Amino acid sequence: MAKIKMTAVVAGQEQLTEDIFDMRIKAAQVAEDAVPGQFVSLYTKDGAKLLPRPISLCGIDREAGELRLVYRIAGAGTKEFSRLKAGDTIDVLGPLGNGFPMEPGKKAFLIGGGIGIPPMLELAKALAEANARLAGSASAQAGAQLAGSASAQAGAQPAGSALAQAGAQPDGGLPEQDGGRTGLVQSILGYRDSQMFLKHEFEAFGPVHVATEDGSAGTAGNVLDAIREQGLSADIIYACGPTPMLRALKAYAAEQGIPCFLSLEEKMACGVGACLACVCQSKDVDGHSQVHNKRICKDGPVFLADEIEL
Amino acid sequence: MAKIKMTAVVAGQEQLTEDIFDMRIKAAQVAEDAVPGQFVSLYTKDGAKLLPRPISLCGIDREAGELRLVYRIAGAGTKEFSRLKAGDTIDVLGPLGNGFPMEPGKKAFLIGGGIGIPPMLELAKALAEANARLAGSASAQAGAQLAGSASAQAGAQPAGSALAQAGAQPDGGLPEQDGGRTGLVQSILGYRDSQMFLKHEFEAFGPVHVATEDGSAGTAGNVLDAIREQGLSADIIYACGPTPMLRALKAYAAEQGIPCFLSLEEKMACGVGACLACVCQSKDVDGHSQVHNKRICKDGPVFLADEIEL
Amino acid sequence: MDMSVKIAGVEFKNPVMEASGTFGSGVEYSEFVDLNKLGAVVTKGVANVPWPGNPTPRIAETYGGMINAIGLQNPGIDVFIKRDIPFLRQYDTRIIVNVCGRTTEDYIDVVERLGDEPVDMLEINISCPNVKEGGIAFGQDPKAVEAITKAVKAHAKQPIIMKLSPNVTDITVMAKAAQAGGTDAISLINTLTGMKIDIHKRAFALANKTGGLSGPAIKPVALRMVYQTAQAVQVPIIGMGGIMNGEDALEFILAGASAVAIGTANFHNPYATVETVEGIRSYMERYGIDDISQLIGAVR
Amino acid sequence: MDMSVKIAGVEFKNPVMEASGTFGSGVEYSEFVDLNKLGAVVTKGVANVPWPGNPTPRIAETYGGMINAIGLQNPGIDVFIKRDIPFLRQYDTRIIVNVCGRTTEDYIDVVERLGDEPVDMLEINISCPNVKEGGIAFGQDPKAVEAITKAVKAHAKQPIIMKLSPNVTDITVMAKAAQAGGTDAISLINTLTGMKIDIHKRAFALANKTGGLSGPAIKPVALRMVYQTAQAVQVPIIGMGGIMNGEDALEFILAGASAVAIGTANFHNPYATVETVEGIRSYMERYGIDDISQLIGAVR
Ligand SMILES: Cc1cc2nc3c(=O)[nH]c(=O)nc-3n(C[C@H](O)[C@H](O)[C@H](O)COP(=O)(O)OP(=O)(O)OC[C@H]3O[C@@H](n4cnc5c(N)ncnc54)[C@H](O)[C@@H]3O)c2cc1C
Ligand SMILES: Cc1cc2nc3c(=O)[nH]c(=O)nc-3n(C[C@H](O)[C@H](O)[C@H](O)COP(=O)(O)OP(=O)(O)OC[C@H]3O[C@@H](n4cnc5c(N)ncnc54)[C@H](O)[C@@H]3O)c2cc1C
Ligand SMILES: Cc1cc2nc3c(=O)[nH]c(=O)nc-3n(C[C@H](O)[C@H](O)[C@H](O)COP(=O)(O)O)c2cc1C
Ligand SMILES: Cc1cc2nc3c(=O)[nH]c(=O)nc-3n(C[C@H](O)[C@H](O)[C@H](O)COP(=O)(O)O)c2cc1C
Ligand code: FES
Ligand code: FES
């Protein structure tokens, strides 16, 4: 995963809600090595703003050499980005961070809160693909030829449809996994209100449950309220969102005794692990400074909930 | 002459030489009150650069509400301006400074050296028009109906052709002025080399003489060499250019006993006379600070050579 | 909504003024902004006699700021009284006269000449880095600060504001010295001493070699000093240094400034002063603050 | 063309290093730049024992710069020696170890531990504004500067560089004190103490309230101090503070720095260090300078 700073060309930009934008940039060298849960740092053109803005990867399209970035206008930097149009350029540093560990075959919660939702989309896609591959090889083992070929195609086809196909296959090999194969990727999305950006895209990869703060759609309340109201369960949690949500999920995971991977945020300067700006407190002594500080930009942004203090 | 800071739209930009650009901006409220010899200050879009860049008016088109600015790339600010295209915006402050005093009817040298040439063009046009008006009213006094109507049209027509017409009129009223009417506006332009930007535009207003540093066109040497080589004379001098040139012209004017108006440059901050950054040394105690410092941005940029120390 | 502030008994309609030396006596910027909308106009430093200032170039742009070495060019107190005060009296705004000098006697001379003039406060500049004598020399030694404050205060009929230099190890020492000398208020910061070199000419960018750094580049230093000073003294503070807009001004107010001054920003945006007033107003509206005094020093 | 410089007997292939704390021990940026191309790698401050540093947020962006209050988080000298020195020894570049401490004994402890290690110079940070004890407290009092310089020098096997704080009234006083204490070189500037307030949260932007201001915003102050110091002492100077590229570096060299360090610029452009080397090289080519020593202190 070689990091690079390069000038990317904007491939397109759409406005998703009042303050959320969806930008695709051509950055083949960054896309090449990127994995879900990683992020890039974007530079503004304003000389008064020296530090780059970290933005998670919402989509990685290696074939097109494109990255998809979905972000909220938080200040002057993101405001500037929101004005970019196809053909404009933007400097980008990446890919940064570790990414989510892939544990296919497990029944997973992919939980996004607010602007923590975008990185879960690429994870949903990747997990669904991995699940399909796993199902394919399991089927292949069981001799079910049809399922295997569907799985082999999954990479090239829209993942959702490949998965739907895979899920539709009769498969006696792994009954437990099979029972929920289409249900392995359960997305729980917490929104402020009914402006449910990206929601329909998650639906391609598995069931989607929604919580809204104002109660205008789905469960009124937060993502845990939705999980409880719907009586959902999982064997592993992946999550990104505001700290109170992450804290609640850490407690919930401990209670359930399941592993929980959280993507954290902190103010960053270098983005590559050199400046020690972006630490979180870790349970164990960290490898870098031998204290209890892990660098979110380098050792994270994804951590096992047990490893960190929130 | 109300000053304003406004966002102007670029009407067009052309490259004249390797490093000289010709930009027209829509800034009707600035153009309205502007006179030759004044300048505007242009702001960059880079937040790291706070101070505006003073640029002289090379053309004022009140009807179109446009200003024409011809400038050389000197650093990062002018470099940024050179990249602007029609439709882009630029913040502008103006009109600034006093402008050249108009003394029509006199045989004048309009002397520009290097990037001091652009402001002389609008002066050439304005003086030629004023001369034509003067000739018109003189002719009218003498009862020559034809000349009068030609002069009346001069404002609407390209000034050069109106002037040519006026010069072609038989006119017995003011024999001395008449003798050189087409020759009243004598432009002496000093260039580095044969990249003689704007030269042909001066030709519309009277004879043009050229000096080049490398001798590749006109007189080899400076503007004074051209004046001497061509045996030219004048009753008044207007000039803009590098300090050594201005210093030489001041001495020449003193020698000839003719008035000489020089447009000066200095590093500026406010551009409006408030900060006292841009002073030049004046012979007499100045009106503002009662010392010997005139503010180039406010009391100038045009000064009578006798008033200032160079 | 109440934006008015009181400093040493003087009421200002709002906490926004401009910083001395960036606004002349208001004549030039009155073409851009309505001076009636400002809390006060702070005039360019004036001495007992005219000063010619430094040779040019006097300014240079720097990253996010500028350095200047004007050298306190000014017409002297006589012309100032005759010309500038009557101009400012036309407006409904407070008048703060910035005073400079080479010796304590110079300062006293000016302060006494202003005694019967209709000006509201006197700002005593003991922090100009661009003159050989006086100026900053007074502002870098606590004993000198206290002594000159006492001397000036003894002769001043109007309340005085001591303007401090940031070019010191500990600003609170200087602020306490000014308070001990009896100052009515403190303003800070003046400019940080800086330098620029033209690598192509291999020469200093300013004729004076060094100049005072101002503009948003220095805002973090200014804000820190305002905060530290607010924790250290009881007298009110006028904060400045890199304020570009209402948001910047609010940082200073939250850090403990009772009023703020806008300097270099005027050169970038001649409407900066009134826009800052509007920026503060809309912040107060947004957060339902009905008296600006609720914000002064609210972050500690 | 000779770009090499000699400082206290140590030869550097070129005058460009990075500034302590912005580059770790080089591991992370070695993904972007070839460390062999740098005059030296200056490591993040290391103490005798691991330090956890300050709570977050530790940094905030400011206009043309940033403030940081990392608080000298470091793994302690044991891990450093075991892990970081061997990493750096793989490269053909000088190694300068930046040393921090809370007490004089802490500094001596680290310096002694490094005595037999293959490092070229020791940079003694007595100017960090972000730790409660040690750090800047040493750097703001000339007597303390001289004393700690002497103490460290007495125990150091490698030549030492005292790193000075700009948060002082007169930098030349501190530089002379370091020289009197026997330092081999001086580096400056460390960061200017600054502050930022989040007006919407009405809270300090940094958990530590104040932080050190760095980046191009401070370049004029840094350059002025390098120049003043070059006029005041005989020991060589490593200049830093806001250097973004070769042109900025040349300003420092012309002002009297024998070498320069690139800090905050790395965050803006991870290639800043090598690009600075190239920028200096092309300037020398353009003006036909065949030995960089012709440029050091050429403007005075
Ligand atoms: C690992 C990571 C991934 C992120 N992914 C996304 C994403 O996918 N979509 C999205 O909308 N936002 C994301 N953020 C938050 C995003 O970085 C900030 O909203 C953005 O930097 C704000 O910049 P600004 O100039 O608009 O705001 P300003 O507030 O003006 O920024 C000022 C400074 O603070 C920093 N800053 C402000 N908010 C944050 C923040 N929340 N986290 C880190 N630095 C901040 C900026 O980078 C800048 O240096 C992510 C943050 C991190 C750390
Ligand atoms: C009254 C006046 C009229 C001018 N008219 C013209 C014109 O018509 N065409 C033209 O090409 N140039 C003109 N100039 C010069 C022009 O202002 C500078 O070339 C320009 O400011 C350089 O900006 P920069 O960012 O490209 O260069 P930089 O060198 O990067 O600028 C850095 C700073 O120095 C200032 N500066 C640099 N050179 C000059 C200079 N010669 N005079 C004043 N300030 C300077 C800049 O404004 C800026 O603040 C005029 C200058 C003055 C004072
Ligand atoms: C061009 C210029 C001239 C100044 N002249 C004076 C002065 O005469 N008296 C004074 O006390 N301060 C003077 N100052 C300092 C400012 O009043 C102010 O303290 C400083 O610039 C910081 O504020 P700013 O960053 O908003 O400009 C001057 C500043 C500038 C830029
Ligand atoms: C994030 C950060 C961490 C720093 N850590 C140290 C340090 O550990 N030791 C030290 O002497 N200086 C440290 N500094 C100061 C820099 O080395 C340098 O002196 C200062 O930042 C000015 O240079 P710059 O403007 O190029 O960044 C640090 C600076 C920054 C920005
Ligand atoms: S941002 Fe520098 S270590 Fe993470
Ligand atoms: S630039 Fe301010 S007085 Fe001329």
Side-chain angles (χ1 to χ4, degrees):
Chain A
M1 290 194 298
K3 299 185 185 86
I4 186 178
K5 183 185 173 192
M6 63 177 286
T7 300
V9 175
V10 175
Q13 173 138 255
E14 269 178 64
Q15 184 162 2
L16 299 186
T17 74
E18 209 184 312
D19 58 357
I20 294 180
F21 288 75
D22 180 352
M23 177 165 69
R24 285 172 301 106
I25 61 172
K26 294 247 169 225
Q29 288 134 291
V30 180
E32 201 173 281
D33 293 322
V35 300
Q38 285 192 303
F39 63 100
V40 291
S41 258
L42 301 179
Y43 291 83
T44 86
K45 290 194 172 64
D46 178 358
K49 300 192 184 72
L50 294 173
L51 301 181
R53 274 58 184 160
I55 302 289
S56 298
L57 300 179
C58 172
I60 303 164
D61 185 338
R62 267 171 222 96
E63 269 163 59
E66 282 185 14
L67 298 173
R68 181 183 182 190
L69 308 168
V70 171
Y71 61 95
R72 170 171 283 154
I73 294 184
T78 43
K79 180 111 203 162
E80 181 187 312
F81 302 151
S82 73
R83 295 205 191 95
L84 294 174
K85 301 207 172 359
D88 290 344
T89 60
I90 182 164
D91 281 0
V92 55
L93 178 75
L96 305 177
N98 56 359
F100 287 107
M102 298 295 279
E103 305 217 10
K106 283 195 178 172
K107 199 169 163 197
F109 282 154
L110 277 64
I111 304 182
I115 201 62
I117 291 171
M120 308 319 288
L121 184 61
E122 181 63 20
L123 177 65
K125 174 165 167 269
L127 272 179
E129 283 172 6
N131 286 338
R133 268 196 300 277
L134 193 70
S137 65
S139 301
Q141 279 178 342
Q145 208 200 321
L146 195 61
S149 73
S151 162
Q153 285 170 17
Q157 286 183 16
S161 65
L163 191 78
Q165 254 180 285
Q169 300 310 322
D171 183 345
L174 288 160
E176 282 161 53
Q177 284 185 15
D178 180 60
R181 191 154 342 114
T182 55
L184 290 182
V185 175
Q186 308 175 82
S187 302
I188 330 275
L189 310 178
Y191 293 99
R192 231 186 271 170
D193 51 36
S194 57
Q195 293 193 45
M196 293 180 288
F197 58 95
L198 300 181
K199 172 171 176 279
H200 64 284
E201 299 194 44
F202 278 91
E203 285 161 359
F205 308 116
V208 176
H209 305 275
V210 160
T212 54
E213 281 174 35
D214 69 356
S216 58
T219 301
N222 61 33
V223 289
L224 268 175
D225 295 328
I227 288 172
R228 291 192 177 116
E229 189 177 284
Q230 310 275 320
L232 306 173
S233 70
D235 304 320
I236 186 169
I237 298 179
Y238 300 100
C240 184
T243 306
M245 178 188 106
L246 300 184
R247 203 175 281 135
L249 289 175
K250 178 178 169 164
Y252 170 83
E255 193 187 293
Q256 303 286 318
I258 57 176
C260 174
F261 291 96
L262 305 178
S263 178
L264 305 189
E265 274 190 20
E266 188 47 81
K267 297 276 154 81
M268 295 183 175
C270 70
V272 301
C275 75
L276 308 180
C278 67
V279 297
C280 61
Q281 276 192 275
S282 56
K283 220 182 87 214
D284 298 320
V285 151
D286 67 271
H288 181 272
S289 290
Q290 313 285 311
V291 284
H292 291 265
N293 289 337
K294 300 223 176 186
R295 296 163 298 177
I296 291 177
C297 70
K298 172 100 178 175
D299 307 321
V302 178
F303 296 96
L304 196 54
D306 289 341
E307 282 175 12
I308 48 161
E309 316 282 344
L310 272 178
Chain B
M1 292 195 299
K3 299 186 185 82
I4 185 177
K5 183 187 172 192
M6 63 177 286
T7 300
V9 174
V10 175
Q13 174 137 256
E14 269 178 64
Q15 184 163 3
L16 299 187
T17 74
E18 210 184 311
D19 58 355
I20 295 181
F21 288 73
D22 179 353
M23 178 166 67
R24 285 171 302 107
I25 62 172
K26 294 247 169 223
Q29 288 135 291
V30 180
E32 202 173 280
D33 293 322
V35 298
Q38 286 193 302
F39 63 100
V40 292
S41 257
L42 301 179
Y43 291 84
T44 86
K45 290 195 170 65
D46 178 358
K49 299 190 187 71
L50 294 172
L51 300 182
R53 272 61 183 158
I55 302 288
S56 299
L57 301 178
C58 171
I60 303 164
D61 185 337
R62 269 172 219 95
E63 271 163 56
E66 280 184 16
L67 297 173
R68 182 181 180 190
L69 307 169
V70 171
Y71 60 95
R72 170 171 281 154
I73 294 184
T78 42
K79 180 111 201 160
E80 179 187 315
F81 302 151
S82 74
R83 294 204 191 96
L84 294 174
K85 300 205 171 3
D88 290 343
T89 61
I90 181 164
D91 282 0
V92 55
L93 177 75
L96 304 176
N98 55 359
F100 287 106
M102 298 295 278
E103 304 217 11
K106 283 195 177 171
K107 201 170 161 194
F109 281 153
L110 277 66
I111 303 181
I115 202 62
I117 291 171
M120 308 318 288
L121 183 61
E122 181 63 20
L123 177 65
K125 175 164 166 269
L127 272 180
E129 282 171 6
N131 285 337
R133 267 194 302 276
L134 192 71
S137 64
S139 301
Q141 277 179 344
Q145 209 199 323
L146 194 63
S149 74
S151 162
Q153 286 169 17
Q157 287 184 15
S161 65
L163 191 77
Q165 251 178 287
Q169 299 310 320
D171 182 345
L174 288 162
E176 285 159 51
Q177 285 187 13
D178 180 59
R181 189 149 349 112
T182 55
L184 290 183
V185 175
Q186 307 176 81
S187 302
I188 329 274
L189 310 178
Y191 294 99
R192 232 186 271 170
D193 52 36
S194 58
Q195 294 194 42
M196 294 180 286
F197 57 96
L198 300 181
K199 172 172 176 277
H200 62 286
E201 300 193 45
F202 278 90
E203 285 161 359
F205 309 115
V208 176
H209 305 276
V210 160
T212 54
E213 282 173 35
D214 69 355
S216 57
T219 300
N222 61 33
V223 290
L224 268 176
D225 294 329
I227 288 171
R228 292 193 177 116
E229 187 176 287
Q230 310 276 320
L232 306 174
S233 70
D235 303 322
I236 186 169
I237 298 178
Y238 300 100
C240 184
T243 306
M245 178 188 106
L246 300 184
R247 205 174 280 136
L249 289 175
K250 178 178 166 161
Y252 170 83
E255 192 186 295
Q256 303 287 317
I258 57 175
C260 173
F261 290 97
L262 304 177
S263 180
L264 305 189
E265 274 191 17
E266 188 48 82
K267 297 276 154 80
M268 295 183 175
C270 70
V272 301
C275 75
L276 309 180
C278 66
V279 296
C280 61
Q281 276 193 277
S282 56
K283 220 182 87 216
D284 299 320
V285 149
D286 67 272
H288 181 272
S289 290
Q290 313 285 311
V291 284
H292 292 265
N293 289 337
K294 300 223 176 186
R295 295 164 298 178
I296 291 176
C297 70
K298 172 100 176 175
D299 308 320
V302 178
F303 295 95
L304 197 54
D306 289 341
E307 282 176 11
I308 48 161
E309 317 283 344
L310 271 178
Chain C
M1 202 172 59
D2 190 357
M3 287 186 75
S4 72
V5 295
K6 214 173 202 168
I7 297 178
V10 180
E11 185 158 320
F12 297 82
K13 67 172 67 147
N14 66 54
V16 181
M17 41 191 87
E18 33 62 53
S20 175
T22 64
F23 210 76
S25 287
V27 181
E28 292 81 12
Y29 281 105
S30 70
E31 291 190 58
F32 296 93
V33 292
D34 180 357
L35 302 184
N36 295 302
K37 292 195 176 153
L38 302 185
V41 171
V42 186
T43 61
K44 168 80 185 164
V46 62
N48 53 344
V49 293
W51 287 14
N54 289 325
T56 55
R58 291 178 168 186
I59 63 124
E61 192 181 59
T62 67
Y63 206 103
M66 60 178 281
I67 50 174
N68 89 78
I70 306 296
L72 293 174
Q73 173 182 331
N74 77 85
I77 189 66
D78 291 341
V79 171
F80 180 84
I81 286 176
K82 218 165 14 179
R83 180 187 63 189
D84 297 21
I85 295 180
F87 168 79
L88 285 170
R89 290 292 293 168
Q90 298 170 274
Y91 296 92
D92 174 26
T93 188
R94 295 293 177 188
I95 304 175
I96 299 179
V97 179
N98 183 282
V99 178
C100 60
R102 291 195 176 86
T103 63
T104 307
E105 290 65 45
D106 289 355
Y107 286 98
I108 291 173
D109 201 0
V110 179
V111 162
E112 285 186 333
R113 292 292 316 279
L114 287 166
D116 296 325
E117 294 297 327
V119 303
D120 297 291
M121 293 185 91
L122 307 178
E123 183 178 52
I124 313 300
N125 177 9
I126 53 166
S127 45
C128 181
N130 300 323
V131 293
K132 293 249 148 28
E133 302 150 331
I136 205 167
F138 284 111
Q140 292 183 326
D141 171 8
K143 286 199 199 85
V145 171
E146 186 173 340
I148 193 167
T149 306
K150 248 188 204 135
V152 170
K153 180 67 190 164
H155 292 84
K157 288 208 185 150
Q158 293 90 350
I160 65 166
I161 307 160
M162 296 306 289
K163 183 160 179 183
L164 302 183
S165 169
N167 300 291
V168 296
T169 304
D170 186 347
I171 192 74
T172 65
V173 171
M174 304 301 152
K176 285 179 193 154
Q179 180 171 268
T183 195
D184 300 290
I186 283 173
S187 63
L188 72 169
I189 61 173
N190 208 316
T191 52
L192 281 159
T193 310
M195 179 179 276
K196 182 174 173 177
I197 286 177
D198 182 325
I199 62 166
H200 300 292
K201 295 187 185 147
R202 276 177 228 157
F204 299 103
L206 300 185
N208 190 51
K209 292 191 184 182
T210 59
L213 179 63
S214 64
I218 67 168
K219 200 188 76 177
V221 174
L223 191 69
R224 181 260 298 181
M225 291 193 169
V226 165
Y227 174 78
Q228 289 177 328
T229 303
Q231 309 309 306
V233 297
Q234 284 71 53
V235 295
I237 297 167
I238 302 171
M240 71 199 76
I243 299 176
M244 295 289 278
N245 50 42
E247 302 192 355
D248 292 341
L250 283 156
E251 281 192 73
F252 280 81
I253 291 169
L254 290 168
S258 297
V260 293
I262 317 279
T264 302
N266 291 299
F267 309 152
H268 186 66
N269 171 15
Y271 312 108
T273 46
V274 290
E275 286 177 11
T276 299
V277 177
E278 287 320 307
I280 297 174
R281 192 192 310 280
S282 65
Y283 177 92
M284 289 175 68
E285 269 162 16
R286 175 170 169 191
Y287 290 105
I289 313 274
D290 41 46
D291 186 340
I292 194 156
S293 64
Q294 292 160 25
L295 295 175
I296 298 171
V299 173
R300 47 177 70 234
Chain D
M1 202 171 60
D2 188 358
M3 287 185 76
S4 72
V5 296
K6 213 172 202 171
I7 297 178
V10 180
E11 182 156 322
F12 297 82
K13 66 171 69 146
N14 66 53
V16 180
M17 40 190 88
E18 35 61 54
S20 176
T22 64
F23 211 76
S25 287
V27 181
E28 292 81 12
Y29 280 106
S30 69
E31 291 191 59
F32 296 93
V33 292
D34 179 358
L35 303 184
N36 295 304
K37 293 195 174 154
L38 303 185
V41 171
V42 186
T43 61
K44 168 80 184 162
V46 62
N48 52 344
V49 293
W51 288 13
N54 289 324
T56 54
R58 290 177 169 187
I59 63 122
E61 191 181 59
T62 67
Y63 206 105
M66 59 178 283
I67 51 175
N68 90 78
I70 306 295
L72 292 173
Q73 174 182 328
N74 77 84
I77 188 66
D78 292 341
V79 172
F80 180 84
I81 286 176
K82 218 167 12 186
R83 181 187 63 190
D84 297 22
I85 295 179
F87 169 79
L88 284 171
R89 290 291 295 169
Q90 299 172 275
Y91 296 92
D92 173 26
T93 188
R94 296 292 175 187
I95 303 175
I96 300 179
V97 179
N98 183 283
V99 177
C100 58
R102 291 196 176 85
T103 62
T104 306
E105 290 65 44
D106 287 356
Y107 285 99
I108 291 174
D109 201 0
V110 179
V111 162
E112 285 186 332
R113 291 291 316 277
L114 288 167
D116 297 326
E117 294 296 327
V119 304
D120 298 290
M121 293 184 90
L122 308 177
E123 183 180 53
I124 313 301
N125 177 9
I126 52 164
S127 45
C128 179
N130 301 323
V131 293
K132 292 248 150 25
E133 299 150 333
I136 204 167
F138 284 110
Q140 291 183 325
D141 170 8
K143 285 198 201 85
V145 170
E146 185 174 340
I148 192 164
T149 305
K150 247 186 207 136
V152 169
K153 179 69 191 162
H155 293 83
K157 289 208 187 152
Q158 293 90 349
I160 65 167
I161 306 160
M162 296 305 289
K163 183 160 178 182
L164 302 183
S165 169
N167 299 291
V168 295
T169 305
D170 186 347
I171 191 73
T172 65
V173 171
M174 305 300 153
K176 284 178 194 155
Q179 180 172 269
T183 195
D184 300 290
I186 284 173
S187 63
L188 72 165
I189 61 175
N190 208 315
T191 53
L192 281 159
T193 310
M195 176 178 277
K196 182 176 174 176
I197 286 177
D198 182 325
I199 62 167
H200 301 292
K201 296 188 184 144
R202 275 176 229 158
F204 299 103
L206 299 185
N208 191 50
K209 291 192 185 181
T210 59
L213 179 63
S214 63
I218 67 168
K219 201 189 75 179
V221 174
L223 190 69
R224 182 258 300 179
M225 290 190 170
V226 165
Y227 174 78
Q228 289 177 329
T229 303
Q231 309 310 306
V233 297
Q234 285 70 52
V235 296
I237 298 167
I238 302 171
M240 70 198 77
I243 298 176
M244 296 288 278
N245 50 42
E247 302 193 355
D248 292 341
L250 283 156
E251 282 192 74
F252 280 81
I253 291 168
L254 290 168
S258 297
V260 294
I262 317 280
T264 302
N266 291 300
F267 309 152
H268 186 67
N269 172 15
Y271 311 108
T273 45
V274 288
E275 286 177 11
T276 299
V277 176
E278 286 320 306
I280 296 173
R281 192 191 309 281
S282 65
Y283 177 90
M284 288 175 67
E285 269 161 17
R286 175 171 169 191
Y287 290 105
I289 314 276
D290 41 44
D291 186 341
I292 194 157
S293 64
Q294 291 159 25
L295 296 174
I296 298 170
V299 172
R300 44 177 73 234

